[in-house]
Amino acid sequence: MQIDYSKRLSPAISDFVDAAMPYSHWGVNYFNIRLMELVLIDSLLGGAIKKGGERFLDFGCGLGLACVYASAYFSEVEGVDLDDPGVAFKTDRSAPAVGTDLIAAIGINNIQLTSGDSFAYLRDRRDRYDMLLSVFCLEHVEDIQGACDLFAAALKVGGRSVHIIPNTHDTTNQLLQTTLGPIEENEKNSVAVGRGTKKMGTMFAPITHSEFIDDYRQQFDVNCLERYIFPMMLSGLTIEKITPMREHSYAVLASKVS
């Protein structure tokens, strides 16, 4: 029997997970991992979420799980994500649209989820947030510097942001998982993605963690820490702490000092 970690947290979180379960491709494991990441953020980064404040934004909110977690600590909670139906969840609607219905059904009234152009959303919200969160989001952004500039502009002076990003272990794991299957199957895969021929295949199938890079050699750069923290610093954010979260990721705590 699988443990449902939400039962160890608040009734609101538990109710949300129960309602959202049909939309998960990975069952309860998806919610367990995401919730434990949020709890680790608080325990490893000085209560970054539990410090609370007036306004919180989850950039790449999905169904709104982090927003439900944060709603106990912030007066106003917002989430924004793509308007693409079915991305990451079992639904033909956008995840924020589904999440909005789930949140309304369990009676939480301080959360607003929005589907659409996430960058346009941020451009209209300067100096607004006490905290901004992104979880495994930046590696899917083509213009990381532009995203960090918007994050910095959206934070109030004294505001904080937490970003969970992949590390190079993640790239290595994906490379091994992709290429160390049976040789015959790898050859079929390489032909299917245009990296080999029936006469001469290749053992190296591309990693697809970032949709903007299809060269497996460059994928290691996608997960290098400086790819994320240097743009944050150039945007004017101060890096307060970098800590491992688990095998696949770091958590970066940054603040807007001025």
Side-chain angles (χ1 to χ4, degrees):
M1 181 178 177
Q2 290 182 309
I3 295 174
D4 182 350
Y5 187 67
S6 72
K7 305 307 180 193
R8 298 181 180 274
L9 304 177
S10 71
I13 293 172
S14 177
D15 289 347
F16 178 83
V17 169
D18 287 343
M21 196 71 71
Y23 301 97
S24 171
H25 289 290
W26 303 279
V28 72
N29 286 337
Y30 168 80
F31 299 104
N32 281 348
I33 290 170
R34 290 291 171 260
L35 285 170
M36 286 189 282
E37 285 171 341
L38 296 172
V39 171
L40 281 170
I41 285 172
D42 273 330
S43 61
L44 298 177
L45 298 178
I49 301 174
K50 288 185 176 180
K51 283 181 180 177
E54 185 180 3
R55 294 191 182 98
F56 170 98
L57 174 68
D58 183 8
F59 187 86
C61 65
L63 295 172
L65 180 63
C67 290
V68 173
Y69 182 91
S71 67
Y73 309 108
F74 291 84
S75 301
E76 299 177 27
V77 174
E78 300 173 27
V80 62
D81 210 331
L82 301 174
D83 197 19
D84 293 347
V87 173
F89 299 99
K90 294 191 292 187
T91 173
D92 58 1
R93 303 166 61 200
S94 71
V98 174
T100 295
D101 291 345
L102 299 177
I103 289 166
I106 63 174
I108 300 176
N109 56 19
N110 65 332
I111 299 175
Q112 178 181 336
L113 305 184
T114 301
S115 305
D117 185 335
S118 302
F119 296 108
Y121 186 91
L122 277 183
R123 289 187 194 101
D124 295 333
R125 289 164 171 80
R126 298 180 65 88
D127 304 310
R128 178 175 176 82
Y129 300 105
D130 298 279
M131 181 174 175
L132 187 151
L133 173 71
S134 73
V135 177
F136 289 112
C137 180
L138 278 173
E139 69 271 23
H140 299 291
V141 172
E142 187 171 17
D143 182 6
I144 294 175
Q145 185 63 64
C148 290
D149 290 345
L150 287 172
F151 292 162
L155 285 172
K156 298 176 181 177
V157 173
R160 61 202 180 275
S161 62
V162 171
H163 309 275
I164 298 181
I165 55 177
N167 60 28
T168 49
H169 287 279
D170 201 23
T171 309
T172 304
N173 289 339
Q174 290 183 63
L175 180 63
L176 293 175
Q177 290 168 4
T178 307
T179 62
L180 291 187
I183 293 176
E184 181 181 3
E185 189 62 30
N186 276 289
E187 185 168 332
K188 290 178 184 177
N189 290 341
S190 69
V191 172
V193 298
R195 293 188 172 277
T197 66
K198 291 183 179 178
K199 188 174 181 180
M200 183 179 291
T202 171
M203 282 292 288
F204 290 100
I207 308 167
T208 56
H209 200 79
S210 172
E211 51 268 52
F212 302 108
I213 297 176
D214 63 2
D215 187 325
Y216 77 91
R217 292 166 297 182
Q218 294 181 28
Q219 284 287 345
F220 286 90
D221 291 334
V222 171
N223 293 357
C224 287
L225 184 59
E226 61 266 25
R227 181 179 174 89
Y228 306 100
I229 61 170
F230 287 176
M232 291 179 200
M233 295 171 72
L234 288 170
S235 73
L237 294 174
T238 298
I239 306 299
E240 302 284 355
K241 190 171 184 180
I242 302 169
T243 187
M245 288 288 287
R246 51 194 180 99
E247 183 69 16
H248 289 269
S249 60
Y250 295 110
V252 179
L253 172 64
S255 63
K256 183 175 179 177
V257 177
S258 60

